[in-house]
Amino acid sequence: MITTIMQLLVLSFLALPLLGVEAYNALPPVPWQYSAGTFKFSTRQPPAIYLQTSAAEVRDTDGLTLIPPSAREFAETFAGDLKDVFHVDIRVQCVPFESEGADHGPGIYLGIDELGKYTYESGVETSEGYTIDVAEDSLRILGGGARGIWWGTRTLLQELMLAREATGVHQGDGTEEIIELKAGRAVDSPAYPTRGFLLDAGRKWYSADFLKDLCTYASFFKFSEFHYHASDNYPLNRGHNSTWQNIYSQFSLLPDNPVLYPLVPRRNESHNRAEFESMQTHCASRGITIIPEIEAPGHALAITKWKPELALGLKDLLNLTHPDTIPTVQAIWSEFLPWFQTKEVHIGADEYDSSLADVYIHFVNTMSEFISATSGKRVRIWGTYEPSNTSVISKAVITQHWQYGQSDPVQLEKDGYEIINSEDWWAYTGLKNDHTPILPAPYPQYFNNTRVLNFGGTNGWQWEPSLYNPFNTTAEWQVPIESKGNKGAIMATWNDNGPDATTQLEAYYCIRDGFPVVGARSWSGRRGPQINVGTLGTSKSILTNNAPSQNLDRRLGRGYNPGDLLFNWPTDATDDHLAAKSKGMNYTMQITYTSWFTLSSTQDAVSLTLTSNSTLVFTADGFEYPLRSVAESAFDPGLPGRIWANDTTSTHTPTDKIGGSRVWQNDTFLGRFEVFVFGGRNRLFSWSQMAFVAPVEQVRGGVREVKIWEGLVR
């Protein structure tokens, strides 16, 4: 028997600002006009939810989804969010509205605004706007449509959370909690219809449950689209000296037709139709439409591995002159178009050989015509340089601008094209390592809010979707705010470093703080309230930590303080299967053991194992990460020095939020978990730190005790 007692301290530190006494602001900010009085929300006697009878079955038709929820479905989801956040059970009651007052007593009234007209910044009318009236006896949200009601409930939830924090009173011991909202009125509508986020699922597997939770989180900040990048491959210029057939590629949708099975090398990393439709339904229930992307004719290694005869010299490019290429791509789309509950889809079409502009343009236009004729859907593409003097891309095609030198959004808009702002300078995140395609604009590992709050490097100039050019910031180089062709903006998160470079939850942590800021500026545009930078830290902390009906932070409870003991096994459990599944970033875990062991979480596909030969290994999403014996001196420079814990048998060093999981045995530092990232445009290779959640859904082997504390135990 191994008699050594091991204390395993795994740290991943996510810095959150301390809450101060200053005012808090919703994100997006709301244009309130306050009046006398307050509305009281009691957790012991919560207000009723009254839904206008005539509004109950209203479904918006002006959005992109083909499965729009009814106002009643949105109201029921809102009631579920109130239960999740404030632990109250409220039934939605359908009642007629007879006046502007509280017709049926105190409560929250949800209905359709029959008189108001809401518009985007372009002047185009939208059902997404709403008016919220707060009075002493009732609170009323009237939407331009079902989504308007929904976005109004997001405002109400945020205001309740912020007011609760301002009072410092929290429910937890069963006593009544009363939250007071100032009386007032706000008329609010989004500046742009497209307020989106992209996740690269072609170079990294993400589970359906994770993606649903991500939609839930994004919806809280009034996002409207999830751009699902469904197919891609590891960059060939980082090929680890492998043959192109062995380079990682993935097609993350599993076809029903067996003829197309060769597209999918790992079926366990693909969503079947039922799973994908479940994702679409869930996201739509929270106001978000999934926009699927299947990449071609570039980034197409999944296709060329299946049919090598269709490849160009660069094997992830399709040969568009081959007679079977377009029919093959059309066959793929024919399989999946019936899956996609959206009016628009994305065909990729970026980073192709610019010397083949004519055949490229023919491909884009042919696919646009085919998809329109087959399904009635419109097509989006990435902005791509296509220097042709004989043909042009159809104006039916929407261009998603991502980089200057690839497309000119100002000229596209002038020429009558519809465009989307994904300018990489502000929009892109490169998971795990920063990398630099253009020296002035590296893609950060964590979303860079500074670039949104200081567009073009100008202090205090807050970005919004009409601002495309951060290099030449004069007005003529930006898109007019009144443009009807500018649909909005999409932030993008890429897995260029491959499927093993991050875990699913690391990806979330890299973008979690970007959602409130990008969502706010995409919604408000130039006309709406700007973000109060002075209170942003506190407001963002409150809202991200309390976003309803998901637990991507993997908290073990709510409202705990640094140093709190959150988990104590076996004291807190009666068997090896635990109610808790994992603890998210910013924790200290101590394991006392006598022999090999495994801690695991099926929810997060993560396990921590001490093997029979005493090797400590994290496994995440099927990839193994053995502990590396890295000297303490190899830590990032400039961090605080060694800090002693209260238990003097162990030491640990804090990390910043980019740091990873690190291990000590008794008083000896053992190392950290890392991944080897090969290539990139600004480096040959590097070791990068991995940060894992603490898996505690199941405990097996020679474990005597597991404890987890919030934050760094000193």
Side-chain angles (χ1 to χ4, degrees):
M1 176 179 290
I2 300 176
T3 57
T4 301
I5 294 179
M6 178 177 184
Q7 293 182 329
L8 176 64
L9 302 179
V10 184
L11 304 179
S12 292
F13 182 70
L14 177 64
L16 295 174
L18 297 175
L19 301 181
V21 297
E22 66 267 45
Y24 308 137
N25 300 109
L27 295 168
V30 180
W32 285 105
Q33 293 182 338
Y34 292 110
S35 56
T38 59
F39 173 82
K40 293 181 173 60
F41 181 96
S42 167
T43 56
R44 180 172 294 173
Q45 294 181 313
I49 297 177
Y50 296 113
L51 175 64
Q52 184 181 27
T53 303
S54 60
E57 296 308 316
V58 169
R59 300 175 189 268
D60 296 345
T61 58
D62 58 337
L64 291 183
T65 183
L66 297 175
I67 48 173
S70 68
R72 171 147 203 162
E73 289 167 331
F74 276 136
E76 296 286 359
T77 304
F78 167 55
D81 289 345
L82 286 173
K83 182 175 182 179
D84 178 67
V85 176
F86 299 105
H87 311 291
V88 293
D89 277 308
I90 307 178
R91 184 172 62 89
V92 176
Q93 304 175 51
C94 286
V95 297
F97 284 14
E98 298 176 0
S99 70
E100 289 298 314
D103 306 324
H104 303 275
I108 299 171
Y109 287 77
L110 308 177
I112 296 295
D113 189 346
E114 303 290 351
L115 301 177
K117 179 180 179 181
Y118 304 93
T119 65
Y120 297 121
E121 207 155 40
S122 64
V124 174
E125 195 166 349
T126 174
S127 63
E128 292 194 87
Y130 66 94
T131 297
I132 180 169
D133 281 292
V134 180
E136 290 189 7
D137 60 344
S138 64
L139 188 151
R140 184 176 293 252
I141 298 172
L142 297 181
R147 287 178 301 160
I149 296 172
W150 172 250
W151 300 131
T153 67
R154 303 304 87 190
T155 293
L156 176 55
L157 274 172
Q158 290 195 18
E159 295 290 352
L160 287 170
M161 292 174 187
L162 296 167
R164 178 173 64 178
E165 289 292 340
T167 63
V169 177
H170 290 272
Q171 186 182 27
D173 59 0
T175 59
E176 182 178 20
E177 182 179 357
I178 297 177
I179 304 169
E180 295 186 352
L181 296 182
K182 290 183 180 180
R185 179 179 234 235
V187 180
D188 195 19
S189 62
Y192 294 89
T194 291
R195 308 177 303 277
F197 66 99
L198 175 151
L199 191 60
D200 177 2
R203 289 176 284 204
K204 168 68 186 174
W205 163 245
Y206 295 98
S207 73
D209 286 341
F210 173 82
L211 297 175
K212 290 177 184 178
D213 283 348
L214 198 59
C215 276
T216 300
Y217 180 78
S219 169
F220 186 56
F221 300 105
K222 299 179 181 171
F223 279 75
S224 62
E225 295 180 16
F226 171 22
H227 180 161
Y228 183 72
H229 187 76
S231 64
D232 211 322
N233 51 267
Y234 193 79
L236 269 66
N237 63 351
R238 309 187 203 178
H240 299 275
N241 297 319
S242 299
T243 61
W244 65 273
Q245 292 95 337
N246 294 326
I247 290 176
Y248 184 92
S249 64
Q250 181 58 3
F251 196 96
S252 63
L253 301 172
L254 182 62
D256 293 326
N257 185 353
V259 173
L260 298 177
Y261 282 174
L263 277 173
V264 187
R266 290 166 297 280
R267 297 186 191 178
N268 63 324
E269 295 181 14
S270 289
H271 299 293
N272 61 32
R273 183 170 185 172
E275 289 173 333
F276 193 75
E277 290 191 345
S278 175
M279 288 161 49
Q280 293 179 101
T281 300
H282 175 87
C283 294
S285 76
R286 292 185 170 270
I288 291 181
T289 302
I290 295 182
I291 308 295
E293 177 187 356
I294 298 174
E295 270 272 19
H299 299 260
L301 205 58
I303 299 175
T304 59
K305 284 182 180 179
W306 170 31
K307 295 191 172 186
E309 69 275 12
L310 303 185
L312 279 177
L314 293 174
K315 297 299 185 180
D316 63 348
L317 301 184
L318 292 173
N319 179 357
L320 295 177
T321 64
H322 193 288
D324 290 339
T325 296
I326 290 180
T328 296
V329 177
Q330 289 177 338
I332 294 170
W333 276 100
S334 293
E335 171 76 2
F336 294 107
L337 279 171
W339 294 26
F340 299 152
Q341 303 290 351
T342 170
K343 298 174 186 177
E344 295 178 8
V345 295
H346 205 299
I347 64 170
D350 68 317
E351 297 187 298
Y352 196 67
D353 188 336
S354 61
S355 69
L356 301 174
D358 288 328
V359 293
Y360 167 85
I361 293 171
H362 173 73
F363 168 81
V364 170
N365 289 343
T366 299
M367 289 305 302
S368 174
E369 293 167 3
F370 171 79
I371 288 173
S372 176
T374 303
S375 65
K377 303 181 192 300
R378 290 188 66 189
V379 159
R380 297 180 182 182
I381 64 170
W382 293 104
T384 298
Y385 183 52
E386 67 286 333
S388 172
N389 294 319
T390 60
S391 57
V392 295
I393 298 237
S394 166
K395 288 185 173 60
V397 174
I398 302 160
T399 300
Q400 188 167 343
H401 167 81
W402 68 280
Q403 188 181 94
Y404 280 88
Q406 297 293 329
S407 62
D408 180 348
V410 173
Q411 190 61 51
L412 285 168
E413 193 273 339
K414 287 180 180 178
D415 291 342
Y417 289 93
E418 291 188 8
I419 55 175
I420 295 170
N421 187 344
S422 289
E423 163 61 35
D424 62 353
W425 184 88
W426 73 265
Y428 274 27
T429 301
L431 293 180
K432 191 54 65 183
N433 284 349
D434 297 3
H435 69 281
T436 310
I438 298 178
L439 288 177
Y443 302 161
Q445 175 183 352
Y446 284 75
F447 185 83
N448 191 336
N449 278 329
T450 299
R451 291 183 178 175
V452 177
L453 299 172
N454 303 284
F455 181 71
T458 302
N459 188 39
W461 186 16
Q462 296 188 8
W463 167 88
E464 43 84 12
S466 76
L467 299 177
Y468 277 78
N469 194 329
F471 310 110
N472 190 332
T473 56
T474 55
E476 61 267 26
W477 288 93
Q478 312 304 331
V479 173
I481 59 171
E482 68 275 8
S483 169
K484 291 179 171 57
N486 189 16
K487 293 168 64 69
I490 296 176
M491 61 186 286
T493 306
W494 297 103
N495 283 294
D496 298 69
N497 291 309
D500 61 343
T502 60
T503 68
Q504 297 183 59
L505 287 171
E506 276 188 300
Y508 159 71
Y509 273 95
C510 287
I511 56 179
R512 74 186 290 275
D513 283 0
F515 277 57
V517 175
V518 174
R521 297 306 301 137
S522 297
W523 176 278
S524 295
R526 194 173 302 183
R527 69 182 179 186
Q530 291 203 333
I531 295 171
N532 184 333
V533 178
T535 62
L536 174 60
T538 52
S539 300
K540 180 161 57 67
S541 174
I542 294 166
L543 298 176
T544 56
N545 289 330
N546 290 280
S549 300
Q550 52 75 41
N551 187 17
L552 288 168
D553 282 317
R554 298 299 188 252
R555 296 184 181 87
L556 298 180
R558 289 183 184 269
Y560 43 74
N561 299 308
D564 286 353
L565 180 63
L566 306 176
F567 183 86
N568 187 2
W569 182 88
T571 303
D572 296 340
T574 58
D575 56 35
D576 287 349
H577 296 274
L578 309 179
K581 294 178 172 60
S582 59
K583 168 65 176 80
M585 304 303 161
N586 193 24
Y587 66 84
T588 301
M589 179 166 68
Q590 175 181 291
I591 302 172
T592 305
Y593 72 97
T594 57
S595 64
W596 70 269
F597 63 81
T598 295
L599 310 181
S600 60
S601 167
T602 56
Q603 175 188 34
D604 296 316
V606 172
S607 65
L608 174 62
T609 299
L610 181 70
T611 67
S612 57
N613 62 359
S614 299
T615 300
L616 196 61
V617 180
F618 260 113
T619 301
D621 301 324
F623 296 99
E624 292 187 348
Y625 304 88
L627 183 67
R628 293 190 70 229
S629 298
V630 181
E632 283 188 90
S633 60
F635 285 170
D636 300 336
L639 293 176
R642 174 176 293 179
I643 294 177
W644 291 84
N646 293 330
D647 178 356
T648 57
T649 63
S650 65
T651 64
H652 46 266
T653 303
T655 71
D656 62 9
K657 64 182 180 181
I658 299 177
S661 300
R662 300 172 180 180
V663 180
W664 289 256
Q665 182 173 17
N666 299 327
D667 194 28
T668 302
F669 176 73
L670 296 184
R672 59 193 184 193
F673 300 91
E674 297 189 327
V675 61
F676 184 79
V677 176
F678 183 89
R681 296 174 183 173
N682 67 333
R683 54 173 58 86
L684 294 177
F685 62 86
S686 65
W687 284 97
S688 297
Q689 297 182 55
M690 297 294 297
F692 300 97
V693 298
V696 290
E697 184 177 1
Q698 188 173 63
V699 179
R700 291 177 294 170
V703 178
R704 289 183 175 178
E705 185 179 61
V706 180
K707 291 183 177 181
I708 299 176
W709 293 267
E710 175 66 17
L712 180 66
V713 177
R714 299 179 183 272

